[in-house]
Amino acid sequence: MKINMNKLTVAALMGSIIFFNLYANAVFAQDKNRRRQGPPPEAYTACEEKSEGDTAEFESPRGDIVTGTCVQDGDCLVLRPDNPPDHRMPGGEND
């Protein structure tokens, strides 16, 4: 009887491990597919040592050169692109 209990315990443990692994993969996949909100870090870096209204530029992760104007964002300056990407979402401020 002990052998059957050991097999049952191992089977339950393996099932639990597989379940939690699948669950964790699904959660991480959702996070990966979400769009990042707000300006990229490069937009803040581009305006360091600048004043509000100054022009600046940075290279995006895709290799594009983004040009724009530094604007106040809380206590930081951030580059507002001259040609922002069109990321219209329902209920957003771009509607």
Side-chain angles (χ1 to χ4, degrees):
M1 187 80 169
K2 276 197 172 232
I3 294 174
N4 289 338
M5 287 300 286
N6 285 340
K7 286 183 181 179
L8 182 61
T9 302
V10 169
L13 182 60
M14 292 296 287
S16 297
I17 291 171
I18 290 169
F19 171 78
F20 286 115
N21 190 19
L22 291 173
Y23 177 76
N25 284 337
V27 169
F28 287 123
Q30 281 181 340
D31 286 344
K32 212 181 219 187
N33 292 332
R34 289 186 185 150
R35 286 185 177 257
R36 180 188 39 75
Q37 296 293 318
E42 296 89 352
Y44 291 95
T45 305
C47 288
E48 289 178 352
E49 307 295 322
K50 302 261 184 196
S51 298
E52 188 170 16
D54 288 351
T55 58
E57 65 181 35
F58 67 89
E59 185 174 345
S60 77
R62 293 182 306 200
D64 302 326
I65 300 298
V66 179
T67 60
T69 305
C70 296
V71 296
Q72 198 69 39
D73 181 28
D75 59 350
C76 300
L77 287 176
V78 63
L79 184 124
R80 176 176 288 153
D82 294 329
N83 299 308
D86 189 12
H87 294 301
R88 293 177 185 243
M89 299 187 73
E93 60 187 51
N94 292 330
D95 280 346

